[in-house]
Amino acid sequence: MSVIVAKFGGSSLSDAEQFLKVRKILLQNQDRKFVVPSAPGKRNSGDVKVTDLLYECHRLAAANKDINAPFAKVTERCQLIAANLSLDVGLDEKLSEIKRRIIEEKSAAYAASRGEYLCGLLLAKLLGWDFIDPAGLILFDHNGILDAEATQIACSHELMKHERAVIPGFYGSTFDGEIRTFSRGGSDVTGAVVARAADADLYENWTDVSGFLTADPRIVKNPKRIEQITYKELRELSYMGASVLHEDAIFPVRKAGIPINIRNTNEPGHPGTIIIPQAKGEPAAGITGIAGHKGFAVVAIEKAMMNAELGFGRRVLQAAEECGVSFEHLPTGIDTMCVVMPQEALRQVRERFIQRIIELTEPDSIEIHDEMALIATVGRGMVRQRGIASRLFNALFNAGVNIRMIDQGSSEMNIIIGVSNHEFETAVLAIYNTFIDESATPAHE
Ligand code: ASP
């Protein structure tokens, strides 16, 4: 028998009706043994997530203000679910203790974590499964960094004692029991950590989309879904802005070789996207997906004979390090070196950065080109297929897009191009039309 760990996001648990969908999904497959819930999310676009209400309670408590208004909303959300499903988990006492501690302890992490805690209690009751509190099992150091190995030992030991259980997402504690959370969206990370600890065969991540899309639906109308993607490809795509999964959620399961299946609670029959360690076969189109975003700047440094000057690159990067900005790409020519970085980060240190480059490298010229967008075309098949780059550049040429930078990662499954911000959408659609679906149209015509 195999083991599946299923994580459900906030929109999958936003009200009683969603709770019932979750139960149905869990009971459909006996292998689904451990479930990691988020806190109830938005029921409609005008609604507020329970986690946001709790952060608001904390903000008010920290300012010694009354928390009654947001806390009443948290109470109402939980009571509504409990009442509609006839669940008795002693909510009233739990809520009054939580309220008292939010006011007294003034800990943001404690306040925020209570959404997952209460949701987990309700779900465990609905399923008749054990409830495991992650405090003391998901372990953080005092800087709020997950201690992966201590967590693995504590969690795996605990999970062995339960046949089926609910483990709330998003939080854990320090070694001395103080509540800590991951960053926002962190229940994905809990799910991954639990999957590793349970030595699961599969980590299901249930959300409100049926997997990853091959391109941003705000740019391309009805883009196709990605059926299968490797961890590496996903890293490349999510780094460039495609986000469904918290990025720290990949490492624990990747390490253990556990596949992740992104599924939709509202469309449970859809197979979603499966993220696997190694691909079986190549994607038909030669590429897996396209992602990118606007707002980069290129600092182009020119100096004759730069290529022969020992330590030139190091000095440029030293300037960046001293100014506290990290770079995204470093395309170089014989006498030029370009540093590509987010425009916003550069804006804050622009003068100092330029000054340091001048002092450290004595260049012939420095130019800054703002308003650039980067687009990553990702596909594990690229390495073994001829002509991908030429098709890509042709597509952009035919669409009248001027390419300002080209960078092919050494992994050879990613070609990154830089274009002007205003040509970003045209470029993404042109690449999509060439590799994935030639009849696709822009999202907004
Ligand atoms: N409830 C938390 C948040 O809203 C964590 C999560 O949903 O994964 O960020």
Side-chain angles (χ1 to χ4, degrees):
M1 198 178 191
S2 46
V3 175
I4 298 174
V5 170
K7 178 257 164 179
F8 288 86
S11 59
S12 302
L13 292 157
S14 57
D15 60 17
E17 204 185 315
Q18 293 297 87
F19 265 65
L20 291 177
K21 287 187 194 170
V22 168
R23 180 171 69 174
K24 194 165 171 206
I25 289 167
L26 289 170
L27 300 185
Q28 250 161 17
N29 185 340
Q30 292 293 305
D31 294 343
R32 295 185 178 121
K33 296 202 174 98
F34 299 109
V35 49
V36 175
S38 290
K42 294 183 182 188
R43 291 161 293 186
N44 50 58
S45 56
D47 204 8
V48 184
K49 289 170 125 193
V50 165
T51 309
D52 289 322
L53 293 169
L54 289 163
Y55 274 122
E56 176 63 6
C57 292
H58 165 70
R59 197 185 60 76
L60 293 169
N64 290 319
K65 291 192 179 145
D66 185 47
I67 72 166
N68 282 343
F71 200 80
K73 290 187 188 152
V74 174
T75 304
E76 193 200 323
R77 295 285 305 265
C78 296
Q79 279 173 342
L80 211 56
I81 293 169
N84 286 338
L85 300 170
S86 310
L87 303 173
D88 181 4
V89 293
L91 259 187
D92 292 346
E93 300 94 88
K94 295 228 156 52
L95 283 163
S96 58
E97 193 204 330
I98 290 170
K99 187 175 183 190
R100 179 184 59 75
R101 287 187 61 182
I102 292 177
I103 295 168
E104 281 171 15
E105 294 176 19
K106 305 194 189 336
S107 151
Y110 173 77
S113 71
R114 295 305 89 182
E116 270 71 10
Y117 169 77
L118 291 167
C119 191
L121 283 177
L122 290 164
L123 186 61
K125 191 76 183 177
L126 178 71
L127 296 166
W129 292 11
D130 297 347
F131 172 84
I132 302 178
D133 193 326
L137 298 176
I138 308 260
L139 294 161
F140 293 83
D141 67 18
H142 279 281
N143 300 317
I145 310 290
L146 176 76
D147 185 329
E149 289 322 304
T151 297
Q152 165 69 5
I153 294 167
C155 269
S156 53
H157 188 74
E158 181 64 32
L159 293 179
M160 277 186 322
K161 300 185 209 154
H162 305 265
E163 203 186 325
R164 291 175 196 280
V166 177
I167 307 106
F170 191 38
Y171 75 96
S173 71
T174 59
F175 288 83
D176 29 86
E178 241 177 72
I179 298 293
R180 288 281 192 277
T181 60
F182 292 108
S183 57
R184 294 302 304 265
S187 299
D188 284 344
V189 190
T190 309
V193 164
V194 170
R196 181 179 168 216
D199 197 13
D201 300 276
L202 181 66
Y203 169 29
E204 287 179 343
N205 191 294
W206 292 84
T207 168
D208 51 10
V209 291
S210 298
F212 297 112
L213 297 171
T214 46
D216 188 336
R218 288 167 300 186
I219 301 175
V220 179
K221 195 171 185 175
N222 293 328
K224 293 198 169 141
R225 310 219 168 251
I226 300 175
E227 285 168 28
Q228 205 183 69
I229 184 169
T230 63
Y231 288 125
K232 271 196 192 158
E233 289 174 306
L234 181 64
R235 279 283 297 155
E236 305 268 1
L237 284 175
S238 48
Y239 164 71
M240 278 305 225
S243 65
V244 169
L245 200 62
H246 191 296
E247 61 172 10
D248 294 342
I250 297 176
F251 297 105
V253 276
R254 180 176 182 171
K255 208 168 176 172
I258 302 168
I260 309 176
N261 192 185
I262 307 290
R263 302 282 294 265
N264 187 351
T265 303
N266 306 318
E267 200 187 347
H270 194 291
T273 296
I274 185 111
I275 311 163
I276 44 173
Q278 240 90 49
K280 298 178 196 77
E282 283 165 15
I287 71 164
T288 304
I290 306 158
H293 54 94
K294 297 180 183 177
F296 290 95
V298 184
V299 181
I301 307 145
E302 199 170 329
K303 185 175 185 185
M305 304 300 287
M306 178 205 99
N307 63 325
E309 189 178 318
L310 205 62
F312 187 90
R314 183 186 53 73
R315 287 192 285 277
V316 171
L317 297 186
Q318 181 186 337
E321 190 177 350
E322 283 177 11
C323 295
V325 279
S326 67
F327 67 91
E328 307 284 321
H329 296 280
L330 282 179
T332 53
I334 294 184
D335 291 333
T336 54
M337 178 167 172
C338 295
V339 187
V340 182
M341 44 185 46
Q343 201 169 307
E344 186 47 33
L346 178 65
R347 196 181 56 77
Q348 295 169 17
V349 294
R350 202 172 173 120
E351 302 307 320
R352 210 171 113 227
F353 183 44
I354 301 303
Q355 189 54 37
R356 281 308 278 150
I357 294 178
I358 294 171
E359 287 163 9
L360 289 164
T361 68
E362 296 170 2
D364 296 336
S365 72
I366 303 184
E367 277 174 36
I368 299 187
H369 309 282
D370 285 323
E371 309 291 325
M372 197 168 80
L374 294 182
I375 302 169
T377 304
V378 175
R380 57 186 178 267
M382 278 184 185
V383 65
R384 264 164 274 116
Q385 280 179 36
R386 251 170 277 200
I388 300 262
S390 86
R391 283 170 69 199
L392 179 77
F393 300 139
N394 255 319
L396 296 169
F397 171 74
N398 290 332
V401 173
N402 182 27
I403 305 175
R404 292 175 43 194
M405 187 204 91
I406 302 169
D407 192 359
Q408 176 164 23
S410 51
S411 61
E412 283 205 49
M413 53 170 208
N414 193 1
I415 299 176
I416 294 169
I417 54 146
V419 302
S420 289
N421 272 350
H422 74 272
E423 292 185 315
F424 175 63
E425 285 83 4
T426 312
V428 170
L429 183 65
I431 300 171
Y432 188 89
N433 286 146
T434 297
F435 290 101
I436 298 175
D437 178 5
E438 58 181 6
S439 62
T441 53
H444 309 285
E445 274 183 296

